[in-house]
């Protein structure tokens, strides 16, 4: 279950050998979670290292969250785990998937480690503008209802935005995010 940059076809494609199409990113809603700006990652803008704040999910029994389902292989899952290294894998039960007769449980990545959760007022913490652009560009490929629900997350940012190109300071994570599965296979 992707709820952030993985709704973007070109970003998702990096974790897959096979060629994805927009049809491989199946829009769904799940109950019991909400999207929040709280996942911390160490990132670098030119010579400056900062705390990047990215989208995350958290439990909220009254919430409904939209995102996409992407069917993955075990190898693709291993690449995603490198890319999402500070997130924990959680299971979303199939009964919590709305408007889909989905019989399998879903896997999602959620930051639960308190040390990796951004808190309002944290210093040296920024939301990368490029990350927001990736998500906004992806929304053009979804229907108006999906866009409207998702865009609620893209308002009233709890941290300042930072412009410019960034990289993850962890080289393995950066490689998985930038080059994806091609690099994973080379390292085996």
């Amino acid at each position: 279950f992707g709820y952030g940059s993985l709704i973007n076809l070109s970003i998702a494609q990096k974790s897959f050998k096979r060629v994805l199409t927009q049809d491989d990113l199946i829009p769904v809603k799940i109950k019991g979670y909400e999207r929040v700006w709280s996942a911390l990652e160490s990132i670098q803008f030119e010579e400056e290292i900062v705390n990047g704040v990215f989208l995350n999910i958290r439990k909220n029994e009254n919430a409904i969250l939209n995102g996409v389902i992407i069917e993955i292989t075990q190898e693709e899952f291993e690449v995603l785990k490198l890319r999402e290294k500070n997130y924990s894998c959680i299971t979303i039960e199939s009964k919590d998937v709305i408007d889909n007769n989905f019989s399998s449980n879903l896997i999602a990545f959620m930051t639960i480690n308190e040390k990796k959760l951004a808190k309002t007022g944290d210093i040296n913490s920024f939301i990368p503008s490029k990350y927001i652009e990736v998500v906004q560009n992806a929304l053009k490929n979804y229907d108006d209802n999906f866009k409207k629900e998702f865009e609620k997350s893209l308002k009233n940012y709890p941290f300042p935005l930072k412009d410019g190109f960034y990289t993850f300071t962890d080289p393995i994570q950066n490689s998985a995010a930038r080059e994806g599965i091609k690099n994973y296979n080379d390292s085996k």
Side-chain angles (χ1 to χ4, degrees):
F1 176 75
Y3 57 84
S5 62
L6 287 175
I7 71 163
N8 184 305
L9 179 61
S10 64
I11 297 300
Q13 180 63 65
K14 293 177 182 178
S15 297
F16 295 82
K17 281 183 186 177
R18 61 193 154 97
V19 176
L20 294 178
T21 68
Q22 191 63 42
D23 291 339
D24 292 312
L25 281 62
I26 303 164
V28 296
K29 292 180 184 178
I30 61 170
K31 60 184 175 182
Y33 292 89
E34 65 183 339
R35 191 174 4 258
V36 293
W37 289 98
S38 68
L40 276 180
E41 296 287 345
S42 178
I43 60 175
Q44 184 166 352
F45 288 88
E46 295 179 13
E47 300 300 315
E48 182 183 18
I49 295 176
V50 301
N51 293 316
V53 182
F54 297 87
L55 287 171
N56 192 18
I57 56 175
R58 71 175 169 212
K59 288 189 176 219
N60 177 344
E61 65 184 45
N62 300 314
I64 294 178
L65 173 68
N66 67 342
V68 297
I69 295 173
I70 307 169
E71 188 174 340
I72 61 174
T73 66
Q74 186 61 41
E75 183 179 25
E76 293 162 342
F77 182 51
E78 296 304 318
V79 173
L80 285 170
K81 286 194 295 190
L82 291 174
R83 173 194 152 100
E84 310 292 351
K85 74 178 210 64
N86 288 322
Y87 291 78
S88 297
C89 292
I90 64 160
T91 300
I92 298 168
E93 294 183 28
S94 61
K95 69 178 180 57
D96 292 329
V97 179
I98 301 171
D99 61 42
N100 234 345
N101 290 329
F102 206 73
S103 59
S104 298
N105 291 338
L106 307 179
I107 296 170
F109 291 95
M110 175 178 157
T111 300
I112 56 176
N113 179 343
E114 283 294 321
K115 293 179 183 175
K116 289 294 185 176
L117 289 172
K119 293 161 191 67
T120 305
D122 283 353
I123 58 168
N124 200 35
S125 298
F126 302 91
I127 298 172
S129 296
K130 291 281 185 201
Y131 179 78
I132 294 169
E133 286 176 29
V134 163
V135 174
Q136 287 175 328
N137 287 338
L139 290 175
K140 298 171 188 171
N141 298 309
Y142 297 93
D143 69 29
D144 288 340
N145 287 334
F146 186 96
K147 283 186 234 181
K148 184 177 178 182
E149 284 301 309
F150 202 104
E151 286 175 341
K152 290 178 186 176
S153 308
L154 302 177
K155 296 180 180 174
N156 302 320
Y157 300 111
F159 296 89
L161 305 185
K162 188 159 184 68
D163 294 331
F165 180 78
Y166 68 92
T167 57
F168 294 98
T169 59
D170 180 286
I172 294 171
Q173 181 184 21
N174 194 62
S175 181
R178 303 286 180 226
E179 288 93 38
I181 201 160
K182 288 178 265 180
N183 216 19
Y184 172 76
N185 288 331
D186 293 342
S187 68
K188 287 176 79 176

